Amino acid sequence: MTCRLPRRIVCLTEETCETLYLLGEQDRIVGISGFTVRPARARREKPKVAAFTSARIDKILALEPDLVLGFSDLQADIAAALIRAGLAVHVFNQRTLAGILAMIETVGALVGAPDRAAALVAELEAGMGAVAQAAARLPRRPCVYFEEWDAPLISGIGWVSELITLAGGEDCFPELAGRAAARERVIADPAEVVRRAPELIIGSWCGKRFRPDSLAARPGWDAIPAVRRGQVFEIKSCDILQPGPAALTDGLKQLHARIAACAALGP
């Protein structure tokens, strides 16, 4: 019996949409998240049917998808509603670099493109390997504070911490990185960031523009080496906080460039 592949897919988050485009399977996509910006053409070509924690169930049903792809417990209510409506739903939960690569392989398998998915994974691994080799040549490994949100302060999630290490830095809060939920990565005392003295600060406030001036104005933060030396930068959330190809390419490259420049400044 021939396996019937999905022909009408709704992607509730950006990373599966980007993956399908990279696999050349974009014609299967009939709906996307309104937060999707990669690839840029997706916003022009595909109807927007969801935010992140909310979705237009009626619009999704009207598209008659035979597969809906989601991400994490944050979309559990959406997934449940779609399942009750009779749709097939696959929810990913990748939080590590290995998990991102496994997601790509699974998406490839779901659409009958395992060889292309394997080639994409190999290409991504080669790119990460090249960055790791460059990072090994840095004169030192700067301490990096990654801020995912500002009120309250939330440090970087697992794959971001791994990317910092891969790019040649040391995560300022490694003990929090393995905690999946954002509420578990809250830094209760902002003074703890001051005490850990990061040499580089990367902000990526998901859903709003990062403001270095606001961060630098926090009480006592003028003592942080990164603030004193102007080593405070933004990496846009679409480039690093989506657990998909973007984080392993553009996100990683931007991280490495900032870390390498910081390392060259000396302690």
Side-chain angles (χ1 to χ4, degrees):
M1 181 180 293
T2 302
C3 177
R4 186 175 181 275
L5 300 174
R7 293 177 294 178
R8 299 181 62 81
I9 300 175
V10 168
C11 298
L12 297 178
T13 53
E14 179 178 272
E15 64 277 357
T16 51
C17 175
E18 183 180 19
T19 297
L20 285 168
Y21 269 86
L22 289 171
L23 294 177
E25 297 290 342
Q26 64 272 10
D27 289 347
R28 297 179 189 271
I29 303 173
V30 295
I32 63 173
S33 163
F35 288 112
T36 298
V37 297
R38 295 175 64 104
R41 59 182 284 203
R43 293 188 64 82
R44 301 189 301 269
E45 297 174 345
K46 308 296 182 180
K48 304 170 191 65
V49 296
F52 183 59
T53 58
S54 63
R56 288 288 304 275
I57 303 299
D58 57 335
K59 289 186 71 173
I60 293 174
L61 294 176
L63 293 170
E64 299 183 339
D66 47 16
L67 178 63
V68 178
L69 300 177
F71 171 70
S72 87
D73 58 301
L74 296 174
Q75 294 190 326
D77 291 343
I78 301 172
L82 295 172
I83 292 168
R84 284 193 290 266
L87 297 186
V89 180
H90 186 110
V91 177
F92 291 96
N93 210 9
Q94 70 275 16
R95 311 282 181 152
T96 63
L97 299 186
I100 292 171
L101 296 174
M103 176 275 293
I104 293 169
E105 291 175 333
T106 300
V107 170
L110 288 170
V111 298
D115 292 344
R116 274 174 280 150
L120 176 56
V121 166
E123 179 184 339
L124 293 170
E125 289 179 326
M128 290 189 288
V131 171
Q133 289 180 354
R137 295 191 293 269
L138 295 179
R140 60 194 191 84
R141 300 180 64 88
C143 177
V144 181
Y145 169 55
F146 187 97
E147 187 170 286
E148 191 175 308
W149 195 245
D150 64 325
L153 303 188
I154 298 176
S155 64
I157 198 167
W159 70 83
V160 172
S161 180
E162 288 184 85
L163 289 174
I164 288 170
T165 301
L166 188 65
E170 298 287 349
D171 186 1
C172 191
F173 287 92
E175 75 276 14
L176 300 181
R179 302 178 186 179
R183 65 180 178 277
E184 297 174 335
R185 287 179 279 110
V186 170
I187 301 167
D189 182 7
E192 183 59 27
V193 182
V194 180
R195 286 190 285 271
R196 299 197 184 193
E199 300 163 80
L200 174 64
I201 294 176
I202 301 293
S204 189
W205 296 347
C206 191
K208 66 179 180 180
R209 183 181 176 187
F210 176 62
R211 293 182 53 205
D213 56 336
S214 172
L215 180 144
R218 294 171 187 167
W221 281 45
D222 55 347
I224 295 176
V227 174
R228 289 202 319 266
R229 304 178 77 176
Q231 293 295 295
V232 181
F233 305 100
E234 178 182 26
I235 295 179
K236 293 188 181 301
S237 59
C238 62
D239 289 340
I240 197 164
L241 289 182
Q242 302 283 357
L248 309 188
T249 53
D250 289 353
L252 176 58
K253 289 174 185 175
Q254 291 175 62
L255 261 181
H256 176 63
R258 294 301 186 189
I259 289 171
C262 182
L265 291 176

